[in-house]
Amino acid sequence: MTDHREDQKHEIEALESIYPSELEVLSRQPFHEFQINLTSQSEDTDVDSVSCTLHVLYVEKYPDEAPIVEIRDPENLDDIDIQTLNDLIQQKVEENLGMAMVFTLISVVQEKLSDIAEDTRRKQEEEKEKKKKMAEEVERKRFDGTRVTVENFLAWKTKFDVEIAEIKRAKYEMDLSNKKLTGKEMFLRDASMNESDVKFLQEVDTIEVDESLFQDMDDLDLEDELLETED
């Protein structure tokens, strides 16, 4: 007849010697209850660790019957990761019924934690690389602009010529408005000035002359000066 209590006692003693600081015995009566903190292992310091507590409770007929095993206090583990661990534990329990199995369960869970941590690192690297490529593509398109074809070049040239012509026309009109015209230019630009003197004389009935301006003209020897000029 199998002595289940003795088998359980021996396994606990072996586990305490293997994991002296990690294993915590919570109770020995009526059945052994204990837990161990497990963390992913990696030589890459850039990998974020994942961890959990593996809680184990023996049943009366363990190891012929499955112990009660739970994942507690998960860190950096999502629901899918936890379900993966539980499925793995269930598989190993079924494979090892009739034998002491806790050491095996601890080993496979710790190994799986390391795999999860590595997968997480790989996904983060892939996401980082994806974002980098997207940024490079955006930058490349910004510099490349629209690819030039004969059609879009001609369309651009037509639009450009129209804009240049409009700028030149506006500048010419501005120059004309700012330019100070000569009397001749004003006369040529405004035809109404051709008849301005005639209209002025027609509008004035009498022209007053200041006779005092001509009183001293008799004193001037205009004839002699004119003859000297002709000589």
Side-chain angles (χ1 to χ4, degrees):
M1 182 177 178
T2 303
D3 188 347
H4 296 101
R5 297 286 295 183
E6 190 67 20
D7 289 342
Q8 295 170 13
K9 178 182 177 182
H10 290 162
E11 183 176 37
I12 285 290
E13 291 174 351
L15 291 173
E16 287 179 319
S17 65
I18 297 172
Y19 306 104
S21 60
E22 297 92 337
L23 189 72
E24 179 183 3
V25 177
L26 304 175
S27 175
R28 298 184 186 273
Q29 296 295 334
F31 305 107
H32 286 89
E33 180 182 3
F34 55 93
Q35 63 185 23
I36 182 170
N37 297 322
L38 301 175
T39 303
S40 59
Q41 304 294 319
S42 176
E43 296 179 357
D44 190 347
T45 57
D46 292 333
V47 177
D48 294 333
S49 64
V50 298
S51 63
C52 68
T53 297
L54 188 67
H55 182 273
V56 181
L57 174 63
Y58 286 160
V59 295
E60 183 179 1
K61 295 184 179 182
Y62 171 83
D64 289 332
E65 293 181 0
I68 299 173
V69 184
E70 295 178 316
I71 296 294
R72 296 182 178 180
D73 304 323
E75 184 176 347
N76 293 329
L77 295 171
D78 57 26
D79 291 341
I80 295 177
D81 295 330
I82 295 173
Q83 184 60 50
T84 299
L85 290 172
N86 284 325
D87 291 344
L88 181 60
I89 290 171
Q90 182 62 34
Q91 176 188 341
K92 293 303 177 181
V93 167
E94 294 175 358
E95 292 175 356
N96 291 275
L97 279 177
M99 299 181 291
M101 65 180 73
V102 176
F103 177 77
T104 299
L105 299 181
I106 292 173
S107 298
V108 296
V109 169
Q110 186 157 36
E111 182 179 353
K112 192 61 180 178
L113 290 175
S114 298
D115 291 342
I116 292 172
E118 183 61 29
D119 288 343
T120 301
R121 183 200 64 79
R122 179 179 53 80
K123 290 177 182 179
Q124 290 174 345
E125 288 295 327
E126 290 176 352
E127 185 65 22
K128 186 185 298 183
E129 186 65 22
K130 181 180 178 180
K131 290 181 179 180
K132 180 181 177 182
K133 288 182 178 180
M134 290 178 62
E136 290 175 349
E137 182 67 15
V138 171
E139 189 71 8
R140 185 186 65 79
K141 288 182 178 181
R142 187 173 71 86
F143 279 102
D144 287 351
T146 304
R147 190 174 298 278
V148 177
T149 64
V150 174
E151 291 77 9
N152 60 30
F153 173 77
L154 292 176
W156 171 84
K157 184 66 166 58
T158 300
K159 182 180 178 182
F160 178 77
D161 291 342
V162 171
E163 292 176 351
I164 292 299
E166 181 64 22
I167 292 173
K168 289 182 177 180
R169 185 188 66 79
K171 185 176 183 301
Y172 175 75
E173 292 180 353
M174 183 177 295
D175 289 343
L176 287 180
S177 64
N178 294 335
K179 182 180 178 182
K180 185 176 182 181
L181 301 178
T182 63
K184 180 178 180 181
E185 289 173 332
M186 293 175 63
F187 183 80
L188 292 175
R189 290 186 64 182
D190 191 353
S192 64
M193 295 183 67
N194 296 345
E195 302 176 355
S196 60
D197 291 344
V198 176
K199 289 182 179 180
F200 174 75
L201 293 174
Q202 290 176 347
E203 292 173 356
V204 179
D205 294 335
T206 303
I207 299 176
E208 297 182 359
V209 179
D210 188 354
E211 296 180 357
S212 64
L213 297 174
F214 302 95
Q215 291 178 356
D216 297 331
M217 291 187 65
D218 294 338
D219 297 335
L220 298 176
D221 193 357
L222 297 177
E223 184 176 353
D224 293 341
E225 291 182 0
L226 180 59
L227 289 175
E228 289 177 1
T229 302
E230 292 177 353
D231 293 339

